[in-house]
Amino acid sequence: MLEPSPQIIARTQQLRKQLQEAGYAYYVLDAPIMEDAIYDQLYRELQDIETQYPALRVADSPTQRVGDKPASQFTSVKHNIPLYSLENAFNIEELKKWQERWQRQIEKLDPFAYVCELKIDGSALALTYEDGILVRGTTRGDGITGEEITQNVKTIRSIPLRLNLENPPPRVEVRGEAFLGLEVFERINREREKAGEALFANPRNAAAGTLRQLDSRIVAQRHLDFFAYTLHIPSLAEQRASEESVETGLMASIQSQDSGNTHSQWDALESLQKMGFKVNPNRKLCPSLQEVAEYYDYWDTKRRQLPYLTDGVVVKLNAFGLQKQLGFTQKFPRWAIALKYPAEEAPTLVESITVQVGRTGALTPVAELKPVQLAGTTVSRATLHNRDRISELNLHIGDTVIVRKAGEIIPEVVRVLPNLRPPDAQPFQMPTHCPVCGSEVVREPGEAVTRCINASCDAIVRGSLIHWASRDALDINGLGEKLVSQMVDKGLVHSVADLYDLTLEQLLSLERMGQKLAEKLISAIAQSKTQPWHRVLYGLGIRHIGSVNAQTLAQQFPNVEQLSAASAAKIEGIYGIGPEIAQAVAQWFQVPANQTLIERLKAVGLQLAATASTSSPTTGQLTGKTFVITGTLPTLKRDEAKALIQNAGGKVTSSISAKTDYLVVGAEAGSKLEKAEKFGITQLNESQLLELLQIS
């Protein structure tokens, strides 16, 4: 039997005391002192210790209280009607702004209503019925093309194989969500645990994995469920249109549902139910945004009592006539939105703090966490940004922290719970030397970032190569992070210029590198020599130079000789280039090693000068207009919006001035918005920008 260390014994006693105090405050005093999630986390930790060290299990412990693949084998098919994703809102204020946006696009606004449906956390399916018979079931895929999984879909008992209609239309398209109920999910994981198989992380992943099983018998055993939420009944003419143009077919199909006597989303849900589909019973018809808000608030707490997971509310304009008038952006319907609940937070322990080194030499501390379930995934690491952020949090190794996903994507430490700090917790100190190459690190005055300044540091070389090969830079297909690491570790490359000296024999010495793959990589590296000057400039990885600034500089300095000879003052004189950027560029070209790099790149044939074919358009509907973009746009990435503007002859800069014509404003706009208001600059949302570009 394992003997517990003094530290384990002390931790056990501390956990018991904390749990007992929390239980007394909750059950006796009715004055909770601890969040439920934290209590559960501490309880599980105590359980784990007592399981590992049975001698520590005592009668008065809180734990003793009674009662207490291969997808390639699926066929890819194009959807008859695309499965558009939904724009997200994260609070009622954002929902109000969405309402203001769509109302501005309607000339005459008649009385309207919304349909609210719970957003089920599962996998979207597209079902096709011909003459009332289920003929095809597909996954969502990218919304245009999915995988045909009809045999698996037929195992879901809440999906009818035949529509409950005496005279069914020639074709019916149904959309909905396949999901696993929580009890079923837990049963499956219990069975997998007994069989020694890896557990599913969450019901959504389990549902998606189940749907893509090659053996439909396994799918049948897992008892997937299904809620239908969209109905399309296209006419024969519209069917032909959808085959010719997927998007045209979708636009037409909204009104085509009249053939099934449905004029609204509410009617469609009722019709789906009559056809034999399971429709979520918790839907609600709301005549105002206030009632939508009430519905959202009600389910924020009640959803935890549901037998399945939901992470928000889908809000749709009820009338199909309004839906048709509003139409779609490039990615989303304008008449629907997903109102998400706040990002999930969870407590966990900081087991250690490691330090990563990026391509600019920046040292980034990373919290190594005790794995925790968060917003549908297992999280075991979270960035701590820099030394100042650690000081602000007062973070110690061994602390219990609250973690959440920023924008539901990047895990971050929100706060520390100092009252749960163990006595032996140690504060973290940033290293004085680079953890990769051992060189002394520096922190420039006024900067929060600590850096390694050794240009030969393997971490900096790796980062530089990955950046050079990235899509917006030289776009070298096949040159990924693992391959770069192998090249650096074997000493094959020490700078981006070395890529162009690689031989077939050298590549074949790398792990998992065959003849064909090596030949393709040699070809991709050679092809990168044709990339234009502004991409090469961006690929050099000069600090503060993003793809937009690189294009601006390349337009003003049409070759590397002119740019390298320019003073910081001359560079700063370019509209949109500030002093920090100008100084970084001028300093970079003064470094002898960088001058050598440029000469080597020139010698192997990289494009270090602009050509007529790579210059920006001189005419277009936005010629002579200057734009700045701020915040997160609903559907367009910033680079996509920038490209649209530039292709129309406009200019995109990074800073506001009196010469700026338009500010394109997205969610969480920063100080640029205030500055634009002072200058009286015209503001555009994404829809207005697309209208200006004549894109519907």
Side-chain angles (χ1 to χ4, degrees), residues 205-273:
N205 290 357
T210 298
L211 286 168
R212 299 175 76 249
Q213 282 283 336
L214 292 173
D215 189 345
S216 59
R217 291 172 297 181
I218 296 175
V219 183
Q221 292 168 3
R222 292 189 181 167
H223 301 294
L224 284 165
D225 211 337
F226 181 80
F227 280 135
Y229 51 66
T230 302
L231 171 64
H232 299 292
I233 308 177
S235 67
L236 290 175
E238 288 156 353
Q239 288 182 44
R240 286 194 294 270
S242 70
E243 290 164 4
E244 293 168 7
S245 170
V246 179
E247 190 161 345
T248 301
L250 177 56
M251 295 294 289
S253 69
I254 291 173
Q255 283 301 296
S256 69
Q257 300 178 68
D258 290 343
S259 60
N261 295 318
T262 59
H263 301 271
S264 67
Q265 173 65 10
W266 191 261
D267 290 342
L269 294 173
E270 296 289 322
S271 296
L272 283 165
Q273 208 160 15

Side-chain angles (χ1 to χ4, degrees), residues 662-676:
Y662 296 102
L663 176 69
V664 182
V665 182
E668 299 181 7
S671 58
K672 292 176 184 176
L673 180 57
E674 296 178 11
K675 200 169 182 181

Side-chain angles (χ1 to χ4, degrees), residues 141 300 375:
D300 190 13

Side-chain angles (χ1 to χ4, degrees), residues 572-641:
E572 189 181 340
I574 299 169
Y575 180 68
I577 301 295
E580 192 175 27
I581 297 172
Q583 193 66 33
V585 173
Q587 286 180 348
W588 192 91
F589 280 103
Q590 290 170 10
V591 176
N594 294 336
Q595 295 170 3
T596 301
L597 173 62
I598 292 296
E599 291 304 316
R600 288 189 63 193
L601 293 176
K602 190 184 299 183
V604 296
L606 270 294
Q607 300 296 312
L608 297 171
T611 62
S613 61
T614 61
S615 60
S616 296
T618 55
T619 59
Q621 63 265 44
L622 302 184
T623 299
K625 301 297 182 183
T626 301
F627 292 74
V628 172
I629 304 171
T630 184
T632 303
L633 300 178
T635 68
L636 295 173
K637 293 180 180 177
R638 191 169 293 198
D639 284 348
E640 293 172 338

